[in-house]
Amino acid sequence: MNSIVTFPNRIPTVEFEERRFQVYTDRQLDKIEVIQNLPEETLFEMKVVASVLPFRVNEYVINELINWDNVPNDPLYQLVFPQKGMLKEEHFERMAKLHREGADKKLIQKVAKEIRDELNPHPAGQMEMNLPTLDGVPLEGLQHKYRETVLFFPAQGQTCHSYCTFCFRWAQFVGDKDLRIASSDAEQLHGYLKQHTEVTDLLMTGGDPMVMKTKNLVQYLEPLLEPEFDHIQTIRIGTKALTFWPYRFVTDKDADELIELFAKLVDAGKHVALMAHYNHWQEITTDIAEEAIRRIRATGAEIRAQGPLIKHVNDNADDWAKLWKKEVKLGIIPYYMFVERDTGAKNYFEVPLAKAYDIYREAIKQVSGLARTARGPSMSAGPGKVEIQGITEIKGEKVFVLRFLQGRNPDWVQRPFFAKYSETATWLHELEPAFGEEKFFFEDEYEQMRKGNG
């Protein structure tokens, strides 16, 4: 049994048995017993989709988060298992034909790559516009889009305990080195941060950094306690492990070392924030999930919750309100409701912006002020994070009221602007300026930024 780290005057922990991590990929679909009762055509569709988009699920998610009596409508089933509609019809039929004909593996991989290239694998200019340099050398595993925040993609953390079917970083997981963002060079990371004292926040992202061994995490984070990194105030860790494998924080062999690392960073004066990805309240219904949250919070680290509004999973106000209420009860800060990004299986998951705003508003109306920290609906688009603040009528014209929560130019932030109302638009580029304007106020400057990185 794993020893348990305790903290004086903090919430005592409950003991849980260590659990073996067992994962299934597209190569083991026939080994997942519970899905063998599904229709044969459904299993074939899973196989077809999983040969294009990444699939990975573990035994904990299968047995404890999915309500198999509610399949195929169960939100967690939709969250992790491939669905036919995730591919456009022409893409699905092209790949299905190869499988029906027993095509060679290399041909299937070739066609899969051709389909993936049509799915906008790296949205919002992240490969062209966000790549920083150190002494003239591009840093492949870093992204620096906003002045205060640097994203780091540790090579050891570029997978997840399970994959979300909607994931906008799906390109990290398909085995194509040309699409992958990753680095194992801690010195490059630290060198860049030393040179950029305007940076206050480091975001460890992926994949999921919580698949890493604690010793690997230490090599990236402990050096930030040195005086030359005093400008790094906040260390964020993006993770889905609190949903997909909460044992990581409780009974895994180095779970105690991980908790100790969080405590050490906090005690040294760093603000540690786990950016937890939650999509549905069913993800926080197990005792082990609550215990993981308690252990993290006992270190002084905080947990902020974010996730996109996605069709088939959480496209109703009641589920969001229930999720936010549960998060607040457990001491988690609701942070963002995102809009599904324009990449991958967006055709299956996207929700019109008008409906997204209605869902957000109806959900916010059901919760107290402590849960109204959730900002949204927000689009992480090329120019920045754009929030829909409302839908209203001005001088007879129905419009979206928008603002930047973050922008490539900080001067754009908090500046309101207006777009013509649309029942069907699902992303920023589908919106048109209101009141007869030809362009949004930021477009010319953003275009110059794009050209400068071209």
Side-chain angles (χ1 to χ4, degrees):
M1 178 64 201
N2 214 47
S3 63
I4 299 295
V5 173
T6 59
F7 300 93
N9 303 317
R10 294 179 181 172
I11 298 173
T13 58
V14 179
E15 290 198 5
F16 287 83
E17 292 296 322
E18 187 174 342
R19 186 165 181 166
R20 185 172 69 90
F21 180 72
Q22 183 177 355
V23 70
Y24 303 90
T25 69
D26 59 310
R27 295 185 296 276
Q28 292 100 31
L29 276 168
D30 60 341
K31 299 291 193 298
I32 305 174
E33 292 183 14
V34 71
I35 69 170
Q36 304 312 314
N37 297 323
L38 297 176
E40 188 174 330
E41 184 64 20
T42 298
L43 296 177
F44 176 73
E45 290 167 0
M46 282 186 186
K47 183 179 179 181
V48 171
V49 175
S51 60
V52 177
L53 296 171
F55 167 71
R56 179 179 168 95
V57 66
N58 70 62
E59 168 268 337
Y60 167 78
V61 174
I62 292 170
N63 292 331
E64 299 200 35
L65 296 187
I66 295 173
N67 177 2
W68 289 97
D69 292 332
N70 192 32
V71 168
N73 297 319
D74 179 80
L76 273 295
Y77 172 79
Q78 291 282 335
L79 185 67
V80 294
F81 277 91
Q83 310 296 318
K84 180 181 179 181
M86 287 168 53
L87 294 181
K88 293 180 180 178
E89 186 173 353
E90 62 268 28
H91 291 159
F92 180 88
E93 290 304 328
R94 184 182 178 193
M95 184 57 72
K97 184 172 185 291
L98 296 180
H99 281 283
R100 292 189 185 104
E101 295 173 350
D104 177 78
K105 182 180 178 181
K106 287 186 177 180
L107 178 58
I108 289 176
Q109 290 175 337
K110 177 178 179 292
V111 172
K113 186 179 188 315
E114 291 172 359
I115 294 173
R116 290 171 192 145
D117 288 344
E118 295 183 40
L119 301 181
N120 190 22
H122 283 301
Q126 64 181 16
M127 293 296 275
E128 301 81 18
M129 301 182 71
N130 301 352
L131 190 64
T133 60
L134 178 64
D135 300 327
V137 179
L139 303 180
E140 299 295 339
L142 271 72
Q143 298 267 297
H144 195 178
K145 180 176 181 179
Y146 305 126
R147 180 178 57 193
E148 299 86 2
T149 305
V150 162
L151 279 64
F152 182 63
F153 296 74
Q156 304 94 331
Q158 298 314 307
T159 185
C160 297
H161 293 98
S162 292
Y163 292 152
C164 295
T165 44
F166 67 82
C167 183
F168 80 94
R169 291 232 170 94
W170 60 269
Q172 293 286 95
F173 314 133
V174 294
D176 188 334
K177 292 181 179 179
D178 292 336
L179 296 179
R180 197 166 182 258
I181 307 171
S183 173
S184 59
D185 195 330
E187 288 187 7
Q188 279 193 339
L189 167 66
H190 299 145
Y192 186 79
L193 294 178
K194 283 180 186 178
Q195 288 190 10
H196 290 268
T197 55
E198 77 278 11
V199 175
T200 60
D201 290 40
L202 171 66
L203 171 56
M204 304 283 288
T205 188
D208 191 332
M210 290 294 95
V211 304
M212 297 165 58
K213 297 295 184 185
T214 302
K215 65 181 181 181
N216 292 324
L217 202 56
V218 165
Q219 71 169 323
Y220 297 120
L221 297 184
E222 275 200 354
L224 300 181
L225 302 183
E226 297 299 323
E228 58 262 43
F229 296 106
D230 282 350
H231 59 289
I232 305 298
Q233 301 172 3
T234 300
I235 296 169
R236 308 187 208 174
I237 302 173
T239 183
K240 189 75 179 177
L242 281 161
T243 288
F244 285 160
W245 190 246
Y247 294 90
R248 176 69 189 92
F249 307 94
V250 184
T251 63
D252 275 9
K253 294 188 185 305
D254 62 347
D256 287 352
E257 288 84 352
L258 179 63
I259 295 299
E260 287 171 346
L261 174 63
F262 294 161
K264 183 175 183 178
L265 294 170
V266 170
D267 291 344
K270 298 298 184 185
H271 178 176
V272 178
L274 269 75
M275 316 308 290
H277 295 258
Y278 289 114
N279 304 104
H280 196 274
W281 54 263
Q282 277 180 219
E283 299 174 72
I284 330 178
T285 54
T286 64
D287 290 341
I288 189 67
E290 292 197 14
E291 178 63 13
I293 292 164
R294 282 194 291 269
R295 295 197 89 207
I296 292 165
R297 293 188 65 233
T299 68
E302 71 176 22
I303 303 171
R304 290 179 179 260
Q306 57 190 20
L309 171 64
I310 34 184
K311 195 174 180 181
H312 309 292
V313 174
N314 60 16
D315 55 333
N316 70 85
D318 290 346
D319 281 338
W320 278 95
K322 188 171 181 177
L323 173 64
W324 289 335
K325 288 176 182 177
K326 179 75 171 183
E327 288 169 352
V328 169
K329 181 180 179 180
L330 296 175
I332 298 171
I333 303 166
Y335 187 48
Y336 268 118
M337 174 198 276
F338 288 116
V339 175
E340 171 65 359
R341 286 201 185 189
D342 56 337
T343 182
K346 76 176 185 70
N347 57 295
Y348 185 71
F349 291 116
E350 64 187 354
V351 174
L353 298 176
K355 182 179 179 181
Y357 176 73
D358 287 342
I359 290 171
Y360 173 81
R361 183 168 179 267
E362 289 303 314
I364 280 289
K365 284 162 56 177
Q366 298 181 44
V367 300
S368 75
L370 287 180
R372 295 185 183 185
T373 52
R375 295 179 288 184
S378 171
M379 294 171 276
S380 289
K385 283 191 176 73
V386 177
E387 179 190 48
I388 303 170
Q389 286 199 282
I391 297 171
T392 191
E393 190 171 298
I394 300 176
K395 295 184 177 180
E397 183 173 347
K398 193 173 184 180
V399 296
F400 287 113
V401 184
L402 308 168
R403 68 167 174 169
F404 279 97
L405 296 171
Q406 270 281 23
R408 289 192 183 274
N409 181 345
D411 287 339
W412 300 346
V413 174
Q414 297 294 326
R415 180 173 171 180
F417 62 105
F418 303 90
K420 292 180 182 178
Y421 178 79
S422 168
E423 290 280 354
T424 59
T426 61
W427 199 249
L428 183 64
H429 70 260
E430 297 175 24
L431 296 178
E432 299 178 23
F435 313 130
E437 297 290 331
E438 291 186 7
K439 297 179 180 180
F440 292 117
F441 77 89
F442 58 87
E443 285 194 71
D444 285 341
E445 186 177 354
Y446 176 60
E447 187 59 30
Q448 289 299 315
M449 292 177 183
R450 284 168 53 91
K451 290 178 179 178
N453 286 272

